[in-house]
Amino acid sequence: MKLSKIFETLAASEVFTYEMADEGGDILPRYRRRITTLINSGLSDLYQRFSIKEGVLDLGVTEDVQHYVLSADVLEVLRMTTPEGKVYNLNSVTSSLTPTTGPYGNVSPHSSNPSLCHASYNELFFSHVPCAGVYRIVYKGDATHISLDDIDTIDPKTVEIPLPLTYLNALCYYVAAKVYNPAGAESVARSMFHEGNNWRSMYEEECNRLKANLAGAKSFNEVSNFTRGGWV
């Protein structure tokens, strides 16, 4: 998806009721930096909520090193394959690890696994390493942000946005919620109404709709034992 697509969608919709765009549907240069910054913020939020990008890295593990810090692009470690071919699901949904102290403290109670814990979202700690070698790590990756260099003059049709078109509405709602959020609104009572509340609610509703659709598509593609046995 191109940056021009987001600009055109924002300019053509009811999101911008005041003059932030020209008649051709392009964001005016003086607003581009602010809007692009909000788009980057929206990308980060969507990438945290959804598994939009999965990355793979090979981690060299040695017996004398227990603590490993992964790249800053890692939002969450999903799976790990040992040199022996054993696969461990480490994400919060399917992990069999039991929580210990700390917000990311997941330590396995099984002696057969490498006694691994998450020191943080992108750190791994081995209490002991049963098999040294190269471990294959599958992780949920962070968004690649749009560069703000020359954003006032660059052609938005040449800027690629790392986001599927499915998430366009959600991204636009996020930007609108930030644009219409008045200065100091975060310090007033929660009951105080402003236009940003509407767009924030629409953003949350769109995210819930996307999650429901994605969950439905996943369950539709899954084949259970009952289906394989001809019971369903």
Side-chain angles (χ1 to χ4, degrees):
M1 182 166 55
K2 302 294 184 182
L3 179 60
S4 57
K5 179 67 174 179
I6 302 177
F7 282 174
E8 290 168 4
T9 303
L10 290 170
S13 68
E14 69 276 16
V15 172
F16 290 158
T17 57
Y18 52 89
E19 297 180 355
M20 277 192 165
D22 58 24
E23 296 179 355
D26 194 13
I27 302 298
L28 295 174
R30 64 178 179 273
Y31 294 114
R32 278 192 177 187
R33 182 170 294 271
R34 179 189 177 196
I35 297 304
T36 304
T37 301
L38 294 178
I39 290 173
N40 281 336
S41 178
L43 289 173
S44 292
D45 194 76
L46 287 171
Y47 270 70
Q48 290 173 11
R49 289 172 181 252
F50 300 94
S51 294
I52 298 175
K53 181 177 72 173
E54 284 193 4
V56 178
L57 61 87
D58 292 330
L59 179 66
V61 175
T62 59
E63 294 183 354
D64 57 339
V65 178
Q66 296 177 301
H67 183 210
Y68 297 87
V69 179
L70 308 180
S71 67
D73 182 53
V74 175
L75 290 178
E76 180 185 7
V77 177
L78 301 176
R79 295 181 299 279
M80 180 183 72
T81 304
T82 69
E84 300 170 315
K86 294 181 179 180
V87 179
Y88 296 97
N89 292 317
L90 303 177
N91 59 305
S92 58
V93 177
T94 61
S95 178
S96 61
L97 306 183
T98 56
T100 60
T101 58
Y104 304 102
N106 289 327
V107 180
S108 171
H110 307 296
S111 59
S112 60
N113 104 10
S115 295
L116 174 72
C117 76
H118 294 291
S120 72
Y121 63 93
N122 70 335
E123 294 181 75
L124 298 176
F125 181 85
F126 296 85
S127 62
H128 72 277
V129 181
C131 178
V134 177
Y135 284 63
R136 176 63 55 91
I137 307 295
V138 179
Y139 64 91
K140 181 168 74 172
D142 197 1
T144 302
H145 290 157
I146 308 165
S147 174
L148 296 178
D149 296 338
D150 302 321
I151 195 63
D152 300 337
T153 58
I154 196 172
D155 183 0
K157 293 181 181 179
T158 64
V159 180
E160 186 69 30
I161 306 299
L163 189 72
L165 192 60
T166 308
Y167 299 91
L168 175 60
N169 286 341
L171 181 59
C172 289
Y173 292 151
Y174 181 94
V175 173
K178 297 297 183 180
V179 168
Y180 283 95
N181 189 52
E186 65 279 359
S187 63
V188 300
R190 291 186 177 182
S191 59
M192 181 70 71
F193 174 82
H194 56 79
E195 186 64 19
N197 288 338
N198 274 344
W199 295 110
R200 183 69 189 188
S201 296
M202 294 174 70
Y203 174 67
E204 295 294 341
E205 290 174 2
E206 181 67 9
C207 286
N208 290 334
R209 185 189 68 81
L210 288 169
K211 288 180 180 178
N213 289 345
L214 292 172
K218 181 179 179 181
S219 62
F220 178 79
N221 290 327
E222 288 179 347
V223 179
S224 66
N225 290 332
F226 289 100
T227 303
R228 283 190 291 267
W231 297 98
V232 178

